[in-house]
Amino acid sequence: MAKYIIKGGIRLDGKTEAESAKNAVLPLLAASVLTDGEVVIRNCPPILDVESMIRILRELGVKVRFEGKDLIVNSSSMHGYTIPYNLSKEMRSSVFMLGALISRFKIAEASYPGGCDIGLRPIDLHLHGLEQMGVKVDEAGGEIVCRAEKLKGGNIYFDFPSVGATENIILAAATAEGRTIIHNAAKEPEVEDLQNFLNSMGARVAGAGTSVITVDGVKKLHGTEYKPLFDRIEAGTYLVAAAATGGSVEISNCNAEKISALLHKLCENTCKITIKNDIIYLRSGSGRKSFNIETLPYPGFPTDMQAQMVALASVSEGISVIRENIFETRFKHVRELNRMGANIVVKDRVAIVNGVKELHGAKVAAHDLRGGAALMIAGLNARGTTVIEDVKHVERGYYKPEEKFRSLGADFVRV
Ligand code: EPZ
């Protein structure tokens, strides 16, 4: 099992570039099966979640290959509509293959994606939305079978603005008969990226980025070439790492307005942030100050940056109160941070962080993707050596972090 060994206490300083967003590439890969034409997804990071999605597509007969960092997808010989158990267990976000497969085959089969370390993660909103479009959903023994004589547009109301459910319904509606209107849709930038991608294939999607999305079904979609949105969470992670080490970083391939909630919090922490075109430039202030966070659907503070900010708060002067409103159990990183000398108490969905001057190195383990990112940040701050186990969680969503952090001056190796 690979691990990271970090000798902390070094101020990060340098330049890096944000990858394309994991949470945009995954739905785009699902959308690519809606056409028999060739689809090119540019600048696609070969992270573990992308590789899992590629395995699912290949299992269904889709031809997928990397040319450099460009991913070429061809579904003309696609034959399957059953997402294999071992693959849907491996990655929750395989669930939005349902919408794409029903759109193409009028049938889709999948295993109930397991919960994971951040919460139960039910898919009731996905299935209820599909039923509104004429899909018959049968669930038995952890298996889901979705069938539709024909997909028809409808009015769909989400109790919660679920990102995955919004994407699933857009995928099912793209070639359905008539108009689908999604109310209380997720407004995340990755939903907007899916809209732009589908429209470049000839779909008619409008309103993404707002809470009402309208899809007018079309008969056929054609191939496309597309460069996905930047990974706002990866970029945010490097910004927080620079702040936690009292250093500075310049990140290109960004769009600052998509992470404004994070940038405001980093300014509260006393960072100096300047934006120039697609570059975000962060310089640490004289001393880190505490802050409070409520994680919320976009454009509120992103839950995917909560763990990283708990790590920053643990070495910021004063008391920070961080409430996780999106997932039930997304504080597995706290126990590990406290092993490094952090002073954090968790009560239900709130972490109370009493900042300390600096952390000390320790042997810790990643339990989930963003919790692992928090441990990288803590290790970069800590005096001494930190060993992070189970880094496969981190590599689901971060492309070669050991190389990127080394390019910023860190003493950081993967063994
Ligand atoms: C997406 O997950 C992201 N993953 C997550 O990123 C992100 O944390 C999340 O959106 C929220 O922004 C991808 O895009 C691949 P949700 P998703 O449906 O779609 C509840 C990361 O670290 N819910 O918006 O699964 C759910 O339990 C990952 O990159 C239902 O109750 O998130 C959760 O509490 C982690 N029923 C809340 O809604 C449903 O049918 C938000 O879930 C669906 C969701």
Side-chain angles (χ1 to χ4, degrees), residues 37 55-56 71 120-121 150 158 160 168 235 371:
R55 267 202 300 285
I56 291 175
L71 204 50
L120 279 173
R121 304 188 78 179
K150 109 173 139 243
F158 282 142
F160 180 86
N168 231 338

Side-chain angles (χ1 to χ4, degrees), residues 22-23 121-125 162-164 304 326 330 370:
K22 161 177 94 74
N23 293 348
R121 304 188 78 179
I123 58 169
D124 53 312
L125 299 174
S162 154
V163 175
D304 291 350
I326 307 293
R330 200 172 196 175
R370 308 302 176 186

